Amino acid sequence: MSRARSLAALRASLPFLACAALLAAAGALHADMRRRVAAPPVDELLYYPSDAMVRQASLGYETAASDVAWLRGIQYYGEHRLTDQKYAMIGHVMSIVTDLDPRFESPYVFGAFVLAQELKNPEQGLRLLAKGRRANPESWRLAFETGFLHYVCRHDYATAARYFVRASRLPDHPDYVDRFAAFSSQRAGEVGMATLLWRRVLLTGNEYMQDVARRELARLGEEAP
Amino acid sequence: MSRVLAIARTTLLEVVRERMVLTLALFGVGLVGASQVLSPLALGEGRKVVTDFGLAGSSMLATLLGVFLGSSLLHKELDRRTIYAVMAKPIRRSEFLLGKFAGLWATTAFLLVGMTAIVFLLLLVVYHQAPWVILGSMALSLAELLVIVAIVVLFSSFTTPALAAFFAIATVVAGHFAEDLHYFGLQGSALLSAVTGGVYWLLPHLDLFNARGLVVHGLAVDPARIGFASAYAGLYAAAALTAASAIFERREFR
Amino acid sequence: MKRTEDLTTQAGPRTGRAGAIREVAPLALLAMENLTKVYRDPMTLKPFTAVDGISLSLARGEIFGLLGPNGAGKTTTIKIVLGLARATSGVVLLEGRDPSDPAARRRLGYLPENPCFYDHLTPEEYLDLVGSLFGIRRDVRRRRAGELLERLGLGSHARKPLRKFSKGMTQRLGLAQALINQPNLLVLDEPMSGLDPIGRAEVKQLLRDERERGTTVLLSSHVLAETESICDRVGILSSGRLIDVGSVPGLLSTGVREWEIAAESLPESLSARFRSAGHRVERVGPRWVVRVTDGQALQEAIAAMTRETVFIHSVEPRRQTLEDHFMRALAAAAGPKP
């Protein structure tokens, strides 16, 4: 009797087993396809929507769409950081993120950082930060980061000092902004100033920026007399 | 008024006892949970992700609930003939319709408020923040639901459930493009401007109710804006319901 | 002022245009004057007359049966009375008011055909809803709901969701919701549908009780035997027209179909004579039964049997049933076959 019941149970579960097997096979096939046909990095995100249409397409959910784009952008950066360290589309993605949510500051900062440090294109980074400052004129952070880029990438200490001072006059800034404004105004030593700036990134930046900060601090340590 | 409330209460009970509300509520909770799971990937912007997904999700789910339940609101009554016993009572057709609208709006409002509460609790417990400003966004979303539910009721008063859902969604989508349409019309000829102006006037201006971009960054919604948007929502919903009543009044029950 | 006839007291040829009956009674609870409803096919725009010039009025405290085959216009007429449909022409007044006025329906109770109620509610909740639509105070409607559910045998099911109700139970609930406002006019569409014989008997008694209370009942039914036993008056609809109306005794008194003479024994010669005269003669159990169709033949048959000293056990008129009258009226309305 129990054998008959077992057979009946097996027969009843056959459709589910077949379904699971088919799904597993489909998943394995897709994984195999991905291994065989690796898309060149430049094709990635090429079809990411252009600025003009993206806001309309969000239908009132722009900030959530900006988060989706932000997560995508971070994923893109993370993948290339582990492979070829080429981040050609980062500017485009961060531009989309900030078009969707102009008040979202981290994409301006991270995008400008990557453009300046990794793509060695500080001008594009500064343009992104300028876009952020136009949308958020009261943001101390964007003014400060602009000063940071001018200092460490363009070595334009006078312009950097102006931005640090501007940041120190904007509301809700932390204490270290005042210190940097003071140091830069006093024209403290370049290496010393740069070290302080990178140490600040080590404390306040995200994990990717912290990695770059460690690398730069190591380089500055070698250069120090 | 008591007749309207009686129908509203019955509609609310019907919807709540249906599984769809439970399904959507669970989906909503899942969405908030998933956004929390994703938050470590956001490089320090986890709070924003949770808030954005939570507010967007609750608004979207409440809208979908309103559209899909509302589109079959009257059709179901006519199809199953439950309306015959009710309309033979001393109740006007407009009162019946208003009661249905009120019950449906209350249902979507419960879902929206519930999900917003979950987002608030999550932010409080995980991120140690009490973002009361999201209540401003919630208030605007509740007003937006008045408009959307009224539009659904209007379409359901004269067409099939599938078409009513389609037209309602199309109107909601068009409502988000209303400002762009208006701007586009102003750039063209006088005729184009007049046509687009007319369409703009008819469409619901749903951008009015979107303050998610403010509250996610901790900025409060101006109470005057909430007042103005609520007044607009009230007027627009009243217009849609008046049209719906006029259409429903002429409908014969076969 | 049009000349009218009180058809409740008169048996004989009716006047008026062919196939239509006109009747007006004083103090009508429900009055219809030349009521017409024409539907148009939405695709072809072809007109279809569902109700054609019905004039009828119901007095207080009577039970009126609206009879007719499927598609005769009964339900359409009822819908117009309730304000669920609009008449194309003619007048309907409920206690002097147009049915589209909600106030006209304040003392109206309605049971639809094959009723369907909100199945997510319990009977208690549904009656509470109906009571609140009538503006009945909460404590009063709760008390009445309890009483009605008990009266209709649903007391133990008061908290059961309606989706679990059988057809008969739903029918009973339908009666309960029709009675909650203690109506002056009860409109019942197929009230016996779905009920077993006991249920039907209970409903008939309920209707009689309501009539005692002074309630007027308009009931539409296919079940003519039930209608015959409960209605004071009936109206017969065919193709949207009221082809006959009157009291049940009045309609049937003119229709004595035949007389049955039952005898203990019958000589063969007499039997043959009756048969040759065209009368039916048959043995029914221990007796002989002779069926004659007219009064003259009856007198002659009795005389013949008396002369032969046949013991006549009984003489009974076999009257028309309502069904017989109904079929005859329909046939007459249809006209001679080509």
Side-chain angles (χ1 to χ4, degrees):
Chain A
M1 197 56 161
S2 64
R3 185 182 148 83
R5 224 178 269 152
S6 309
L7 277 171
L10 183 67
R11 225 174 274 133
S13 62
L14 271 175
F16 299 103
L17 289 171
C19 179
L22 285 166
L23 278 173
L29 181 65
H30 188 221
D32 191 50
M33 274 168 66
R34 285 185 78 165
R35 261 199 315 277
R36 285 168 199 274
V37 188
V42 76
D43 288 336
E44 275 177 296
L45 299 178
L46 210 54
Y47 298 106
Y48 221 58
S50 69
D51 308 4
M53 300 307 296
V54 78
R55 214 181 155 77
Q56 276 92 331
S58 307
L59 298 177
Y61 301 113
E62 298 88 11
T63 52
S66 80
D67 290 342
V68 170
W70 168 247
L71 290 167
R72 186 72 186 88
I74 291 164
Q75 186 197 7
Y76 168 79
Y77 178 85
E79 278 171 5
H80 283 272
R81 195 163 156 273
L82 293 172
T83 54
D84 57 8
Q85 290 85 45
K86 289 192 167 75
Y87 315 101
M89 298 300 290
I90 198 70
H92 180 59
V93 174
M94 292 304 151
S95 183
I96 299 288
V97 176
T98 52
D99 281 340
L100 287 166
D101 187 359
R103 291 191 185 87
F104 193 6
E105 291 183 5
S106 292
Y108 297 114
V109 173
F110 183 64
F113 187 89
V114 173
L115 285 165
Q117 288 294 123
E118 312 279 15
L119 275 80
K120 306 297 181 210
N121 191 347
E123 278 67 35
Q124 197 178 349
L126 286 168
R127 276 197 296 275
L128 185 59
L129 283 171
K131 178 188 171 189
R133 289 198 316 277
R134 278 193 301 275
N136 304 277
E138 296 293 295
S139 170
W140 66 266
R141 188 180 172 197
L142 294 174
F144 185 86
E145 296 298 334
T146 306
F148 172 81
L149 275 196
H150 276 293
Y151 200 100
V152 302
C153 299
R154 299 187 70 241
H155 307 291
D156 181 349
Y157 309 119
T159 309
R162 270 206 320 275
Y163 279 105
F164 289 146
V165 167
R166 188 192 290 187
S168 72
R169 288 182 184 147
L170 290 170
D172 303 320
H173 63 267
D175 295 338
Y176 68 76
V177 173
D178 295 318
R179 286 198 290 279
F180 278 109
F183 282 154
S184 61
S185 301
Q186 291 162 18
R187 296 174 196 272
E190 291 163 23
V191 170
M193 181 70 169
T195 305
L196 285 169
L197 285 168
W198 283 116
R199 281 209 186 120
R200 193 271 316 170
V201 173
L202 205 57
L203 284 169
T204 61
N206 62 47
E207 58 183 272
Y208 294 133
M209 291 165 78
Q210 285 169 1
D211 279 349
V212 176
R214 277 187 210 100
R215 192 181 68 208
E216 290 300 311
L217 282 168
R219 190 180 58 80
L220 288 169
E222 285 167 25
E223 280 176 18
Chain B
M1 194 50 160
S2 64
R3 290 187 290 276
V4 171
L5 288 173
I7 298 292
R9 190 174 162 270
T10 303
T11 307
L12 185 61
L13 276 175
E14 178 183 4
V15 170
V16 163
R17 288 174 187 179
E18 287 265 348
R19 278 189 210 122
M20 190 192 279
V21 178
L22 182 65
T23 308
L24 280 174
L26 285 173
F27 191 76
V29 171
L31 181 70
V32 176
S35 68
Q36 175 55 21
V37 166
L38 278 175
S39 62
L41 299 173
L43 289 188
E45 296 294 337
R47 186 206 58 83
K48 182 181 186 291
V49 169
V50 166
T51 312
D52 277 331
F53 279 29
L55 293 181
S58 58
S59 164
M60 211 183 290
L61 285 174
T63 300
L64 283 174
L65 180 70
V67 169
F68 288 114
L69 282 179
S71 59
S72 61
L73 201 69
L74 290 172
H75 186 266
K76 207 164 126 181
E77 292 258 8
L78 288 164
D79 195 45
R80 299 190 61 221
R81 300 187 173 202
T82 47
I83 202 172
Y84 289 110
V86 174
M87 292 313 303
K89 310 296 185 267
I91 180 169
R92 292 178 202 285
R93 293 206 185 182
S94 57
E95 289 173 327
F96 178 78
L97 206 68
L98 195 59
K100 284 286 186 188
F101 163 78
L104 186 62
W105 178 82
T107 311
T108 58
F110 275 136
L111 184 70
L112 183 80
V113 171
M115 278 194 65
T116 306
I118 291 169
V119 171
F120 190 94
L121 277 170
L122 189 67
L123 290 170
L124 191 65
V125 169
V126 177
Y127 297 95
H128 310 294
Q129 288 184 358
W132 296 102
V133 290
I134 67 171
L135 295 182
S137 174
M138 187 186 78
L140 286 174
S141 293
L142 287 172
E144 187 183 30
L145 283 174
L146 278 175
V147 173
I148 293 172
V149 172
I151 289 169
V152 177
V153 169
L154 170 60
F155 287 125
S156 78
S157 71
F158 65 87
T159 188
T160 63
L163 280 177
F166 174 75
F167 287 141
I169 290 172
T171 307
V172 166
V173 168
H176 283 290
F177 285 99
E179 294 297 328
D180 299 305
L181 181 73
H182 182 55
Y183 177 75
F184 170 71
L186 289 172
Q187 314 304 313
S189 65
L191 175 66
L192 180 69
S193 197
V195 169
T196 54
V199 174
Y200 172 74
W201 180 71
L202 274 175
L203 287 174
H205 306 156
L206 297 178
D207 283 347
L208 259 179
F209 306 102
N210 180 11
R212 289 178 280 272
L214 282 176
V215 305
V216 77
H217 294 289
L219 300 166
V221 184
D222 185 1
R225 178 179 170 181
I226 298 175
F228 175 74
S230 303
Y232 174 81
L235 286 169
Y236 195 95
L241 291 173
T242 304
S245 289
I247 294 166
F248 190 52
E249 198 71 41
R250 275 149 189 71
R251 201 149 172 185
E252 301 234 327
F253 302 141
R254 285 237 179 181
Chain C
M1 192 79 151
K2 287 193 173 117
R3 183 167 166 265
T4 60
E5 293 175 60
D6 183 354
L7 294 169
T8 57
T9 54
Q10 188 175 351
R14 291 157 179 90
T15 58
R17 67 188 165 91
I21 303 294
R22 292 185 59 78
E23 182 200 71
V24 174
L27 294 171
L29 190 71
L30 168 65
M32 293 179 233
E33 178 80 23
N34 220 15
L35 192 67
T36 303
K37 176 68 183 173
V38 180
Y39 285 112
R40 277 198 187 272
D41 185 290
M43 301 297 278
T44 64
L45 295 181
K46 197 176 160 189
F48 164 68
T49 305
V51 175
D52 190 0
I54 291 179
S55 294
L56 184 61
S57 68
L58 305 190
R60 289 183 192 277
E62 69 165 326
I63 300 180
F64 188 95
L66 197 60
L67 313 178
N70 290 331
K74 305 189 298 297
T75 301
T76 306
T77 304
I78 285 173
K79 279 187 191 164
I80 297 171
V81 165
L82 298 166
L84 298 177
R86 261 183 302 280
T88 308
S89 62
V91 174
V92 174
L93 293 173
L94 272 174
E95 292 194 279
R97 285 188 160 105
D98 190 284
S100 60
D101 179 1
R105 304 195 288 272
R106 205 168 286 285
R107 298 306 299 273
L108 176 75
Y110 170 53
L111 170 65
E113 185 182 359
N114 292 324
C116 200
F117 305 115
Y118 296 129
D119 62 5
H120 63 284
L121 298 178
T122 63
E124 261 180 6
E125 288 169 337
Y126 192 81
L127 291 178
D128 193 62
L129 165 67
V130 171
S132 55
L133 293 180
F134 280 116
I136 302 171
R137 242 179 41 220
R138 182 192 263 193
D139 55 332
V140 173
R141 67 180 185 248
R142 294 228 165 132
R143 180 179 46 77
R144 281 195 203 165
E147 286 165 2
L148 281 166
L149 289 174
E150 283 298 331
R151 190 175 164 196
L152 285 152
L154 295 174
S156 56
H157 304 286
R159 298 213 173 134
K160 199 173 178 181
L162 291 178
R163 66 168 61 90
K164 294 187 178 167
F165 267 33
S166 67
K167 191 167 189 270
M169 289 161 79
T170 307
Q171 194 73 11
R172 287 167 190 272
L173 177 70
L175 284 162
Q177 61 86 39
L179 291 168
I180 195 154
N181 61 324
Q182 295 174 340
N184 290 338
L185 174 65
L186 256 182
V187 179
L188 310 172
D189 204 341
E190 303 293 343
M192 312 293 184
S193 169
L195 296 175
D196 58 24
I198 297 169
R200 284 196 217 128
E202 287 170 351
V203 168
K204 279 196 275 188
Q205 187 53 47
L206 183 145
L207 294 181
R208 288 191 196 101
D209 294 342
E210 288 299 312
R211 181 177 51 193
E212 289 302 304
R213 248 182 23 90
T215 308
T216 303
V217 179
L218 169 65
L219 76 89
S220 161
S221 182
H222 292 124
V223 185
L224 298 175
E226 307 285 0
T227 316
E228 187 177 339
S229 65
I230 191 76
C231 291
D232 301 312
R233 287 196 302 147
V234 297
I236 300 176
L237 288 184
S238 174
S239 302
R241 299 166 119 201
L242 192 62
I243 57 170
D244 206 353
V245 67
S247 69
V248 171
L251 284 177
L252 301 184
S253 67
T254 58
V256 176
R257 228 180 27 199
E258 59 187 13
W259 281 263
E260 264 182 20
I261 311 166
E264 289 293 337
S265 64
L266 199 65
E268 185 52 44
S269 56
L270 208 51
S271 174
R273 199 171 124 197
F274 287 150
R275 281 200 181 99
S276 63
H279 307 314
R280 279 191 296 154
V281 181
E282 55 193 2
R283 189 144 180 119
V284 179
R287 299 204 171 95
W288 286 91
V289 172
V290 181
R291 299 182 203 276
V292 298
T293 54
D294 67 82
Q296 180 69 26
L298 175 68
Q299 302 298 332
E300 287 168 5
I302 291 171
M305 285 160 115
T306 308
R307 275 197 301 275
E308 300 287 327
T309 62
V310 170
F311 179 72
I312 296 172
H313 191 265
S314 63
V315 178
E316 280 188 47
R318 286 279 170 236
R319 294 180 184 281
Q320 260 189 332
T321 59
L322 188 59
E323 189 169 341
D324 298 329
H325 180 82
F326 177 80
M327 301 303 290
R328 215 180 59 162
L330 286 181
K337 286 193 171 70

